[in-house]
Amino acid sequence: MADPSGRPPHSVRTLDPRSLRALAHPLRIRILGALREYGPSTASRLAERLHESSGATSYHLRQLAAHHFIEEEPGRGTARERWWRAAQQGTELGDIEEFFRHPDAEVRGALMLLMHEVATTHVRELHTWLSTVHDWPGEWWQASALSDFTLRLSPELARELNERLHALVESYRERAAEGEQTARFRVHLHAFPRADD
């Protein structure tokens, strides 16, 4: 079912080298993440949320719009204050090998910057949870997890595991409840090989 804006409930954009380079800036990544998580906003509201200047957020909003990551929120704002929303609710790389082996060093650098920024965001969110855990009711402590697992897998089995984990998480979008007992619930997935040492 589509949302009132006409977008599918969880639309995903597949990056190409050009759009990857456009997104690969720490503040752009944070702005896009904030619009996806908290909904439409203005440059000044984003500046306050992200502890940046409104000039910086305004500039990077225009860059994101030029590359179709965001769009103006219809029916809101004025000539002086524009409201922006995410054009898609997710981003994926598609064939990551294309980026790792790309002949343009800027594309490879943009990939590494994007991946490091995502990892930094995950760490920041985890630290925020741990520093505020006592502000939450006990049932949320019980519903949270910090887990890690070491498996011996082939690349094919690792890919299958990731696909099944993603499908499982996506299945909960449709089951999401509304109401007093719900909260935004972040699920981070980090899956990578490690040397035996």
Side-chain angles (χ1 to χ4, degrees):
M1 181 166 113
D3 72 13
S5 70
R7 289 176 304 207
H10 190 68
S11 55
V12 176
R13 176 167 180 182
T14 302
L15 297 176
D16 58 27
R18 185 173 182 268
S19 58
L20 170 64
R21 284 195 315 264
L23 180 59
H25 183 283
L27 185 52
R28 288 182 202 161
I29 294 166
R30 291 173 57 217
I31 288 170
L32 185 57
L35 290 173
R36 286 178 174 163
E37 186 168 355
Y38 300 106
S41 191
T42 65
S44 57
R45 289 170 184 254
L46 284 164
E48 189 175 319
R49 177 180 293 281
L50 301 174
H51 307 289
E52 296 286 344
S53 73
S54 59
T57 56
S58 181
Y59 171 79
H60 289 293
L61 282 164
R62 289 192 304 273
Q63 295 303 308
L64 288 167
H67 293 277
H68 311 290
F69 286 103
I70 64 170
E71 58 198 14
E72 280 195 69
E73 175 79 348
R76 282 181 97 168
T78 64
R80 290 179 51 96
E81 186 176 63
R82 298 165 81 178
W83 281 78
W84 298 97
R85 69 180 183 190
Q88 307 86 25
Q89 289 304 309
T91 305
E92 66 181 11
L93 288 166
D95 182 3
I96 196 165
E97 189 170 355
E98 171 191 356
F99 296 102
F100 274 122
R101 301 199 186 287
H102 200 279
D104 186 342
E106 279 190 35
V107 172
R108 296 190 309 270
L111 173 66
M112 296 314 297
L113 186 146
L114 176 67
M115 293 173 71
H116 280 278
E117 283 302 313
V118 168
T120 299
T121 298
H122 290 182
V123 169
R124 185 172 42 248
E125 290 176 350
L126 183 56
H127 280 285
T128 299
W129 160 249
L130 293 175
S131 64
T132 63
V133 69
H134 294 292
D135 298 340
W136 289 83
E139 57 261 27
W140 283 112
W141 306 346
Q142 298 294 330
S144 301
L146 290 177
S147 303
D148 62 88
F149 308 90
T150 301
L151 309 171
R152 188 161 288 279
L153 301 175
S154 66
E156 294 77 17
L157 286 175
R159 193 166 30 256
E160 177 187 321
L161 174 64
N162 282 324
E163 288 169 1
R164 291 179 69 184
L165 288 168
H166 281 249
L168 178 62
V169 170
E170 287 300 320
S171 73
Y172 278 81
R173 269 187 215 287
E174 295 175 13
R175 297 177 60 188
E178 292 291 332
E180 199 173 297
Q181 295 296 318
T182 65
R184 284 187 179 91
F185 195 77
R186 294 288 287 156
V187 179
H188 297 166
L189 174 61
H190 308 146
F192 49 88
R194 192 168 168 173
D196 284 335
D197 290 342

